[in-house]
Amino acid sequence: MGKKYIPQPTAVIIRYTNVRSAKKVLREKEHRKMGEQTELSTTQTVDNLIVVQQLPIITERLHLLAGKIDEQVAAAQSLVCTEETVKEVKKVRTELRNQFKELEDQRKTVKQAVAAPYMEFEATYKDLVTNKFKAADATLEGKIDTVETELKAKKQEEVERYFDEYAASKQLDFLNFSDAHLNITLSATVKSLKEQAAAFVDKVASDMELIETQEFKDEIMVEFKGNGFDGTAAICLVIGRHKQIEAQKEAAAQREEERRRMQEAAQHTISAAPQVLQMAPAQPVKLEKDPNEILIAGFRVRATRAKLIALRAFLESDSAYEIL
């Protein structure tokens, strides 16, 4: 609270040679006429506007009860709980919980009593101080943002105009100012931003010259315009893609060549198969009268691996034979 100032009548007349002191006397006379009882000193700070006049005094005699609590807790923990004593153990537990609840209620009551003045003070503080400062800060923030946004917009407009002119001079009319991703801030100078814009346009032009020398330039150019104008990445991607395609073609050709060789080997084995069968020990087979009767014949053939594979392929290719 500010120190009360009670004006006292005086018969002493003082002649002030200092203009500031004279004005102060006039203000004090005016205040006395209005009947004002208090005023803040012009040199007073906010350090003593919020003070605690008296700390809360909490009287407790828990130390007198502590010994009894220790005895009760120790006795309860030493109880043996069986089917015969479980009811008694429950009773002891209920008594302890009731005592604890009673003390807890007293503690909560003390806490509420101590907190109540602060909560009242905090509500007053929020209404008279916090809300006012925050409102002022939000208002100033909005005004500052408006001005800064306008400054950045003017700066962007100048740099964007330069970007479009420079890109047109390089015959890169398809470029947009947003492609450069320039970070326009209040601290960034127009000169530095123009330098960044020119560097971006120059790099795009240089990458396009490099792309023109590539084998797959049309495909690379599509990637270049779609990836944010990264020439190196576009070239590597397209060349890598074509290498994969070539590798797949080579693998397919190798598979086709392998299949052709196996067919040739099978045909060669088929032509030699009768001789091999004749060399095998022939078992006399007695034909039945019914030529369509299905019979099972077992024999062994001695030949190279390739010929045996070809013989098996021949037998499998003819639906009249079933390999068991």
Side-chain angles (χ1 to χ4, degrees), residues 30 43 50 59 125 137 142 155 163 183 186-187 211 215 218 232 244 246 277 298 312-313 317:
E30 184 179 353
T43 59
I50 303 174
T59 303
Y125 180 85
D137 184 74
K155 188 178 297 185
F163 177 90
N183 185 21
L186 293 175
S187 59
I211 291 173
E215 180 181 1
D218 294 336
T232 302
Q244 291 179 351
E246 291 299 323
L277 293 174
R312 182 181 179 89
S317 64

Side-chain angles (χ1 to χ4, degrees), residues 20 24 27-28 31 39-45:
R20 181 177 299 177
K24 182 177 180 181
R27 285 197 302 270
E28 291 176 351
H31 291 166
E39 64 176 343
L40 287 176
S41 172
T42 55
T43 59
Q44 186 176 12
T45 65

Side-chain angles (χ1 to χ4, degrees), residues 315 317-322:
L315 294 176
S317 64
D318 194 333
S319 60
Y321 299 99
E322 181 180 2

Side-chain angles (χ1 to χ4, degrees), residues 74-119:
Q77 292 178 337
S78 64
L79 293 176
V80 177
C81 189
T82 64
E83 293 182 5
E84 292 76 14
T85 63
V86 64
K87 291 184 178 180
E88 183 64 24
V89 173
K90 285 184 177 181
K91 181 179 178 181
V92 173
R93 183 191 180 199
T94 300
E95 292 176 354
L96 291 178
R97 296 180 71 177
N98 289 338
Q99 292 182 32
F100 177 66
K101 181 179 182 302
E102 183 179 354
L103 293 172
E104 274 292 282
D105 291 341
Q106 294 183 34
R107 179 190 64 80
K108 292 177 181 178
T109 300
V110 171
K111 181 179 179 180
Q112 291 176 356
V114 172
Y118 175 78
M119 298 301 295

Side-chain angles (χ1 to χ4, degrees), residues 144-313:
I144 293 171
D145 288 345
T146 300
V147 174
E148 290 183 345
T149 301
E150 292 177 356
L151 292 175
K152 288 191 289 186
K154 292 179 180 178
K155 188 178 297 185
Q156 177 175 334
E157 182 180 357
E158 182 177 352
V159 177
E160 185 172 356
R161 184 168 55 252
Y162 170 81
F163 177 90
D164 293 339
E165 293 174 355
Y166 191 71
S169 68
K170 297 287 185 178
Q171 297 181 351
L172 302 176
D173 296 334
F174 57 86
L175 286 180
N176 295 316
F177 179 71
S178 59
D179 295 331
H181 300 289
L182 299 182
N183 185 21
I184 300 178
T185 62
L186 293 175
S187 59
T189 63
V190 174
K191 179 181 178 182
S192 64
L193 292 173
K194 287 183 178 180
E195 290 175 351
Q196 295 176 40
F200 173 77
V201 174
D202 290 339
K203 184 178 183 303
V204 172
S206 176
D207 287 349
M208 291 186 64
E209 292 178 359
L210 178 61
I211 291 173
E212 287 296 324
T213 65
Q214 301 299 311
E215 180 181 1
F216 312 106
K217 61 181 181 179
D218 294 336
E219 186 177 351
I220 294 174
M221 188 62 69
V222 173
E223 293 292 341
F224 176 65
K225 292 182 178 180
N227 70 358
F229 303 101
D230 189 337
T232 302
I235 292 173
C236 292
L237 177 64
V238 173
I239 291 178
R241 180 189 300 156
H242 281 273
K243 286 183 178 180
Q244 291 179 351
I245 294 174
E246 291 299 323
Q248 292 176 0
K249 289 181 178 180
E250 291 179 2
Q254 291 178 357
R255 289 193 298 270
E256 179 64 22
E257 179 64 20
E258 183 68 20
R259 188 184 66 81
R260 186 186 62 79
R261 288 199 299 266
M262 291 183 64
Q263 287 181 345
E264 291 179 354
Q267 292 177 357
H268 178 73
T269 304
I270 290 172
S271 61
Q275 299 178 1
V276 176
L277 293 174
Q278 289 176 3
M279 292 173 62
Q283 298 294 333
V285 179
K286 183 178 180 180
L287 297 176
E288 299 295 337
K289 293 182 180 180
D290 186 2
N292 295 323
E293 181 182 1
I294 299 176
L295 301 175
I296 298 177
F299 56 89
R300 301 176 65 184
V301 179
R302 181 184 181 88
T304 63
R305 183 185 300 273
K307 291 183 178 181
L308 290 176
I309 293 175
L311 177 60
R312 182 181 179 89

